Amino acid sequence: MIRKFVDDRPAIILGIETSCDDTGCGIVDTTGKILGEAINSQHLTHLKHGGIIPAIAGKMHRQHITTVCEDALRSANLRLRNIDAIATTTKPGLPLSLAVGNEFGKYLCRIGNKPYIPIHHMEAHALTVRIEQKVYFPYLVLLVSGGHSLLAIVENVDKFYTLGTTLDNAPGEILDKIARRLKLANMPEFSHMNGGQAIENAASKASNPTKFFFEPVLTKKRDCQFSFAGISNKIFKYLNTETFDIDDVYNFCAAVQLSFAKHICLRTQRAMEFINNMNLISQEKRTLVVSGGVACNNFLAKTLEIVCLERGFKFVRTPPRLCNDNGVMIAWNGAEKWMTNINVLRDREEIEMVSIEKNASFGESWIERVQEANIKCKLVKLNRL
């Protein structure tokens, strides 16, 4: 049930996101209406450095957070007094970045006498889809981004069961490194893109997408754990011994993209088999939600859609504009917590004690349960691509 005030209006939540390199602010109400948003991207700045520099990210957040929040309020035609609560990412993420958002969020609470709602960044990604689509609990979520890769069952707003996570690097991080090694940023058509976007666009130009092939990894590990380091080692080993013309760069990117997609799909398919075998979600409600920056990749989305069709799951992708880090997803997570009265802090001393966390678990770990299930799984054929 949606909590309303005596004037019967929906509550309005302002969300602040500064977990990594984007300064975001979003304003939503508890009906799911996006009232205003603003963002300052540091992408081009960090692209010049070949990766995110935490000190620079923190400094830029401080420079822009006031303006970003003012712009969001202006776009919503609201003032702080119209806001019912402030929601802010407090974990996990870069400490220097998280600190800026946490401090500013608490500052707004002090001057506006507002409740504070600390937000877990990955939980927000997992729930963002519900702002635009009716996705009912429980559901399976796949989060893939520059900082994370995991599979989990979303039981409700505050309860998650992790089925698998990354053993090493996140997919977005590795794709960025491969793009840098291929020097895609030196090509005008890719110069404004992050690594994953550049590889996807280059792959779409492949004349012979099957020219290169990379053996899959962890095929004998019957769990849902991800490992992108093994794939990247094979890719970099090849890159260190070969030189390409432009056509081969495109073909190589197609092979890279396919190898990543197959690895993600196999782990996701096993998570589906686990859910089906244990009857954890009723057949008519079985849904896969995909979110995170890498979820913007249309090729990956197509492969996952094929897996869903074969395994009886409905495929739902978070709208691409909300897949990357943004303030709207934080505001919406705050709205869902407000409606269920979960972790809404009103005591001033309690609010001031809220701290940031660089690392944070995602709900309860069921990784061993999946391993014990020992599910043999052969990836469905993706030949309909």
Side-chain angles (χ1 to χ4, degrees), residues 182 184 187 189-190 193 195-207 246-254 257:
L182 289 169
L184 295 182
M187 301 168 68
E189 59 188 316
F190 307 129
M193 300 178 183
Q197 291 173 324
I199 287 174
E200 180 183 9
N201 279 268
S204 69
K205 302 175 185 295
S207 58
I246 189 63
D247 284 338
D248 274 349
V249 168
Y250 296 155
N251 293 330
F252 192 81
C253 286
Q257 183 171 247

Side-chain angles (χ1 to χ4, degrees), residues 176-332:
D176 284 343
K177 290 179 179 178
I178 294 170
R180 285 199 296 273
R181 177 63 178 77
L182 289 169
K183 298 182 179 180
L184 295 182
N186 293 345
M187 301 168 68
E189 59 188 316
F190 307 129
S191 61
H192 63 290
M193 300 178 183
N194 64 39
Q197 291 173 324
I199 287 174
E200 180 183 9
N201 279 268
S204 69
K205 302 175 185 295
S207 58
N208 184 7
T210 61
K211 182 173 182 177
F212 302 97
F213 175 76
F214 300 104
E215 288 287 343
V217 298
L218 299 185
T219 54
K220 295 182 180 180
K221 294 286 186 180
R222 296 183 181 180
D223 55 28
C224 294
Q225 299 287 74
F226 297 96
S227 174
F228 296 96
I231 297 174
S232 67
N233 287 340
K234 294 179 180 180
I235 290 170
F236 283 114
K237 185 177 181 180
Y238 197 94
L239 286 173
N240 290 334
T241 59
E242 300 290 335
T243 56
F244 301 140
D245 60 23
I246 189 63
D247 284 338
D248 274 349
V249 168
Y250 296 155
N251 293 330
F252 192 81
C253 286
V256 168
Q257 183 171 247
L258 180 60
S259 67
F260 271 62
K262 283 185 174 181
H263 182 59
I264 292 170
C265 283
L266 182 59
R267 282 18 230 176
T268 304
Q269 183 179 325
R270 182 171 283 109
M272 292 176 178
E273 300 284 6
F274 176 76
I275 288 170
N276 291 350
N277 291 354
M278 301 294 182
N279 199 26
L280 298 173
I281 302 176
S282 60
Q283 191 169 355
E284 64 276 7
K285 288 186 177 181
R286 288 172 187 166
T287 301
L288 171 69
V289 169
V290 187
S291 191
V294 178
C296 293
N297 185 293
N298 291 318
F299 181 85
L300 174 62
K302 289 177 183 177
T303 60
L304 288 167
E305 198 165 7
I306 291 171
V307 174
C308 283
L309 186 63
E310 290 290 330
R311 288 297 175 263
F313 274 67
K314 179 182 178 183
F315 175 79
V316 179
R317 179 164 60 155
T318 299
R321 71 183 188 86
L322 296 177
C323 277
N324 290 303
D325 297 349
N326 61 85
V328 168
M329 73 180 200
I330 305 305
W332 175 246

Side-chain angles (χ1 to χ4, degrees), residues 3 336-344 346:
R3 297 176 58 195
E336 293 234 66
K337 290 191 172 187
W338 176 275
M339 289 185 281
T340 51
N341 197 26
I342 293 172
N343 207 24
V344 179
R346 292 178 171 81

Side-chain angles (χ1 to χ4, degrees), residues 57-105:
K59 181 179 179 181
M60 293 186 72
H61 282 307
R62 291 191 184 280
Q63 290 174 340
H64 296 286
I65 191 166
T66 299
T67 301
V68 167
C69 288
E70 287 176 346
D71 288 346
L73 284 165
R74 192 176 298 112
S75 71
N77 196 27
L78 295 171
R79 295 190 177 185
L80 183 58
R81 65 170 177 262
N82 306 120
I83 303 299
D84 295 302
I86 308 296
T88 307
T89 305
T90 59
K91 61 183 177 183
L94 301 176
L96 293 175
S97 295
L98 288 170
V100 176
N102 189 37
E103 291 168 12
F104 194 76

Side-chain angles (χ1 to χ4, degrees), residues 108-124:
L108 293 181
C109 290
R110 284 197 301 272
I111 65 173
N113 193 30
K114 307 295 181 184
Y116 194 50
I117 310 174
I119 301 296
H120 188 300
H121 179 79
M122 291 184 289
E123 291 180 6

